[in-house]
Amino acid sequence: MHQPNHAVLPAQLPDELIQLLQGAGIRLTLDELQQLRDRLHAVVNYQATIGVMGKTGAGKSSLCNALFGREVAEVSAVEACTRSPQEIDWSIRNGKGLSLIDMPGVGESGTRHQEYTALYRRLLPEMDLVLWVIKGDDRALSIDEQFYQQVLLPVLWDSAIPVVMVVSQVDKIEPCREWDWVKNLPGPFQHRNIDAKVEQVCRVFKLPRSQVCAIAAEEGYGLVELVEKIVTVLPNEKKWSFTREARQETVSECAWRSSSQGLWETLTSAVKVIVKEGWDYLSSKLSTLAGKLFSWW
């Protein structure tokens, strides 16, 4: 998979857009110029906040590690090891980065269930994206459904936060002996059962297929499709910050183009709001800079 030099070029875009404005003779006051510069840099350097949620043992921490290429979250096969929100922050340069909140798993016990309900309600409004993780061979979805209906949906409706349901550990779905450990792919009957599980999740949570994805995190299965779905549901101004931080092996050409287009539309919209005179002339000049942005391919 061809990977663009994505970390360098978009960081240069705000300055190049400012230079283009000045070269085109567009007159801005000092306040307008600073406002535009602040907005452009804020978009390029936006730090996304992603909440990873679900029942205990669903594979949330493994998903965090697989998506972002680091052992950022503790993993245990025996007991619930995330009993408080693990907020992992990192930056690559100039403050750019990502805030990943690995939430404690619901359903561990009655006492903790109430505690985690309050915790989720408090932290949800801070999220840019929610990944709700469901273990592939788990037939009991009542706790997930209860939390989704009673805790997530009211906040998601009010805040317009996108959610993607992640069916995890699908290598354990029967017949699990069909899994091809060389190619890391399911066998034919196992693939059929994985599809059936995805359809069940769509039906139970009343979500389109575009918001449900099947993965086996440690085997790398389904991660590229998951990133594409995430980029699809995120607002334009937040697509870039996610794909910028994801492991490059998981980001397809389609995902990069979608996030780059979202970045470009957000930047040009910011320019259009501030540049009231001369926009028609300037928009014809912007195509040159847009061509540079997409010349990675």
Side-chain angles (χ1 to χ4, degrees), residues 13-54:
L13 283 175
D15 293 334
E16 296 198 23
L17 278 168
I18 297 295
Q19 292 171 10
L20 180 60
L21 286 171
Q22 294 171 335
I26 304 298
R27 295 182 179 180
L28 298 174
T29 66
L30 289 178
D31 286 344
E32 289 173 334
L33 188 61
Q34 188 59 49
Q35 181 184 352
L36 180 58
R37 182 177 285 111
D38 291 345
R39 173 58 177 154
L40 298 181
H41 280 282
V43 171
V44 171
N45 297 316
Y46 184 80
Q47 178 160 316
T49 300
I50 300 171
V52 185
M53 307 177 177

Side-chain angles (χ1 to χ4, degrees), residues 10-257:
Q12 301 168 346
L13 283 175
D15 293 334
E16 296 198 23
L17 278 168
I18 297 295
Q19 292 171 10
L20 180 60
L21 286 171
Q22 294 171 335
I26 304 298
R27 295 182 179 180
L28 298 174
T29 66
L30 289 178
D31 286 344
E32 289 173 334
L33 188 61
Q34 188 59 49
Q35 181 184 352
L36 180 58
R37 182 177 285 111
D38 291 345
R39 173 58 177 154
L40 298 181
H41 280 282
V43 171
V44 171
N45 297 316
Y46 184 80
Q47 178 160 316
T49 300
I50 300 171
V52 185
M53 307 177 177
K55 281 196 300 191
T56 182
K60 302 188 307 301
S61 298
S62 295
L63 173 60
C64 294
N65 295 333
L67 271 181
F68 301 103
R70 308 180 185 190
E71 292 300 313
V72 295
E74 185 181 1
V75 179
S76 171
V78 179
E79 61 181 356
C81 52
T82 305
R83 286 203 168 95
S84 60
Q86 295 187 50
E87 183 167 358
I88 305 109
D89 294 288
W90 65 82
S91 299
I92 52 177
R93 66 166 65 84
N94 298 328
K96 295 190 299 185
L98 179 138
S99 179
L100 188 69
I101 301 181
D102 182 16
M103 296 289 285
V106 301
E108 182 183 345
S109 68
T111 301
R112 292 197 179 275
H113 181 84
Q114 295 177 358
E115 174 188 339
Y116 294 165
T117 296
L119 178 66
Y120 274 46
R121 284 178 174 151
R122 178 169 59 84
L123 293 181
L124 269 169
E126 302 175 11
M127 311 294 180
D128 291 308
L129 168 71
V130 169
L131 299 178
W132 189 274
V133 186
I134 296 172
K135 190 177 178 183
D137 61 350
D138 185 358
R139 298 183 180 182
L141 299 182
S142 60
I143 292 177
D144 297 274
E145 186 178 7
Q146 177 188 349
F147 247 78
Y148 182 73
Q149 295 289 342
Q150 298 179 6
V151 181
L152 259 72
L153 274 186
V155 179
L156 298 181
W157 282 336
D158 290 341
S159 307
I161 302 168
V163 60
V164 174
M165 291 284 177
V166 183
V167 182
S168 70
Q169 304 180 52
V170 297
D171 53 306
K172 297 179 181 178
I173 290 180
E174 296 295 341
C176 59
R177 291 184 180 179
E178 273 196 355
W179 187 268
D180 187 332
W181 293 103
V182 176
K183 298 180 180 179
N184 280 324
L185 293 171
F189 291 103
Q190 190 178 29
H191 190 278
R192 183 185 65 186
N193 289 337
I194 290 172
D195 278 347
K197 183 66 176 185
V198 169
E199 291 298 331
Q200 178 197 21
V201 171
C202 290
R203 185 171 60 254
V204 168
F205 296 95
K206 297 179 176 60
L207 291 171
R209 187 71 182 252
S210 60
Q211 287 179 246
V212 183
C213 190
I215 70 161
E218 294 182 3
E219 286 71 43
Y221 174 78
L223 295 178
V224 171
E225 180 186 1
L226 174 58
V227 169
E228 288 183 353
K229 288 180 182 292
I230 290 171
V231 171
T232 298
V233 301
L234 282 172
N236 273 344
E237 67 272 15
K238 297 174 181 177
K239 295 178 189 293
W240 175 256
S241 59
F242 175 81
T243 52
R244 182 190 65 214
E245 303 301 337
R247 287 178 59 200
Q248 299 310 290
E249 307 94 288
T250 68
V251 183
S252 67
E253 179 175 329
C254 176
W256 274 122
R257 281 198 169 275

